């Protein structure tokens, strides 16, 4: 018995989302995040759940027939480090990031911006991010702090990977509540970049503190 000839790999697109399709990608991702959180937070008839499964699977099959995409690394190696973010500028290292990408259908969709030497982000953990009862999952909090600290690297154009990340959970992280994450550089020692940050309520009460060691890398290692 012979195996059928294998299909040639589908063409791969290594480009950032085109400006004209970005708004519709974001809108589709937003709608899916809304549905995800709604399914967790609301009672739903079994018939409706069956319809969701049927329609989602049918839609997924259409999407999967499209050309494959991959993370636009070329752009990350070049453009991302060319300009320093301006005060108040909304930042996105790539729009499908699971933490800060607006176009990720299952992401947290944190909204980071520059504020002086810091990065500050509005974040609201939807119902699907609950871990312990009524609290956002600690791993989701860690992901937020990792990502926001990564944005601090843009202020000094220093590509780096997280080597160590430590979180102190000082108070429960409420879900479905507007929160504010912040991060800034503590110090640098050669390739070792020490970053710190915190997560607070909108009123400024401390929820979590983070500190991390990022290790600077040459851009070529972003593969
Ligand atoms: C998801 C995006 C990822 C891309 C991020 C890149 C750039 C940022 C981009 C945009 C900014 C915007 C948003 C932020 C985006 C994302 C933020 C999240 C970032 C991540 O989510 S990133 C993924 C998780 N991360 C990894 O996937 C790392 C796996 N790992 C390695 O790739 C290597 O392990 C590495 C590179 C860490 C070091 O390797 P290496 O060979 O280059 O360097 P080496 O080992 O020689 O260490 C040099 C000196 O650092 C000390 N050192 C090293 N590691 C240490 C540790 N863990 N604890 C304590 N000290 C440590 C040594 O002790 C030595 O110190 P000394 O010189 O004093 O001896």
């Amino acid at each position: 018995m012979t195996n059928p000839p294998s299909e040639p790999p589908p063409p791969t697109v290594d480009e950032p989302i085109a400006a004209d399709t970005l708004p519709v990608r974001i809108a589709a991702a937003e709608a899916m995040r809304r549905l995800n959180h709604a399914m967790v937070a609301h009672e739903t008839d079994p018939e409706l759940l069956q319809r969701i499964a049927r329609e989602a699977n049918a839609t997924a099959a259409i999407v999967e027939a499209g050309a494959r995409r991959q993370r636009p690394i070329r752009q990350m190696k070049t453009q991302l480090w060319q300009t320093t973010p301006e005060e108040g500028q909304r930042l996105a290292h790539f729009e499908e990031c699971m933490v800060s990408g607006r176009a990720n259908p299952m992401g947290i969709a944190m909204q980071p911006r520059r504020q002086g030497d810091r990065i500050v982000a509005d974040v609201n953990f939807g119902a699907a991010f609950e871990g312990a009862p009524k609290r956002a999952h600690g791993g989701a909090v860690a992901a937020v702090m990792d990502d926001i600290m990564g944005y601090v690297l843009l202020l000094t154009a220093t590509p780096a990977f997280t080597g160590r990340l430590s979180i102190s959970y000082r108070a429960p992280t409420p879900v479905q509540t507007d929160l504010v994450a912040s991060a800034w550089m503590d110090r640098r020692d050669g390739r070792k970049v020490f970053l710190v940050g915190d997560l607070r309520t909108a009123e400024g009460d401390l929820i979590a503190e983070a500190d991390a060691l990022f290790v600077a890398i040459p851009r070529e290692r972003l593969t």
Side-chain angles (χ1 to χ4, degrees):
M1 202 168 93
T2 55
N3 290 324
S6 57
E7 293 279 322
T12 298
V13 181
D14 175 12
E15 293 295 337
I17 302 169
D20 56 341
T21 56
L22 184 60
V24 280
R25 268 203 179 264
I26 291 173
E30 259 172 15
M32 290 178 67
R33 292 196 298 269
R34 179 180 171 187
L35 177 59
N36 295 341
H37 294 306
M39 267 188 71
V40 172
H42 295 269
E43 290 296 342
T44 313
D45 289 339
E47 296 75 27
L48 179 56
L49 292 169
Q50 285 167 346
R51 192 181 118 205
I52 290 170
R54 206 169 48 245
E55 293 182 3
N57 278 318
T59 307
I62 297 168
V63 174
E64 286 162 0
R68 286 196 76 86
R69 303 171 63 239
Q70 67 172 32
R71 176 79 184 270
I73 293 169
R74 269 181 300 163
Q75 176 238 19
M76 189 177 189
K77 279 181 173 164
T78 54
Q79 284 135 285
L80 189 62
W81 310 102
Q82 272 169 4
T83 53
T84 311
E86 287 173 21
E87 186 68 15
Q89 183 185 341
R90 198 238 171 240
L91 302 169
H93 60 103
F94 81 121
E95 286 288 8
E96 278 142 336
C97 172
M98 62 163 279
V99 177
S100 51
R102 291 174 297 174
N104 185 319
M106 53 195 285
I108 297 170
M110 168 178 97
Q111 304 276 311
R113 61 185 180 278
R114 179 181 184 173
Q115 196 171 294
D117 291 338
R118 297 182 174 216
I119 302 296
V120 176
D122 299 321
V123 57
N124 184 315
F125 294 98
F129 292 113
E130 188 169 325
K134 297 194 179 124
R135 300 167 186 222
H137 195 290
V141 172
V144 159
M145 298 316 300
D146 187 27
D147 200 61
I148 193 170
M149 289 198 273
Y151 280 99
V152 176
L153 302 169
L154 292 179
L155 301 179
T156 52
T158 306
F161 287 138
T162 319
R164 179 187 55 74
L165 171 66
S166 172
I167 308 287
S168 295
Y169 298 93
R170 300 292 188 190
T173 305
V175 286
Q176 296 177 279
T177 305
D178 289 336
L179 306 172
V180 181
S182 308
W184 59 98
M185 189 183 294
D186 180 34
R187 66 189 194 281
R188 181 167 180 168
D189 174 11
R191 291 179 61 206
K192 291 187 282 190
V193 184
F194 296 88
L195 300 169
V196 288
D198 60 35
L199 179 68
R200 293 177 181 270
T201 65
E203 293 74 36
D205 296 329
L206 182 64
I207 296 172
E209 292 170 302
D211 69 272
L213 163 66
F214 280 61
V215 180
I217 49 150
R219 284 169 210 197
E220 302 75 63
R221 281 184 63 180
L222 293 168
T223 53

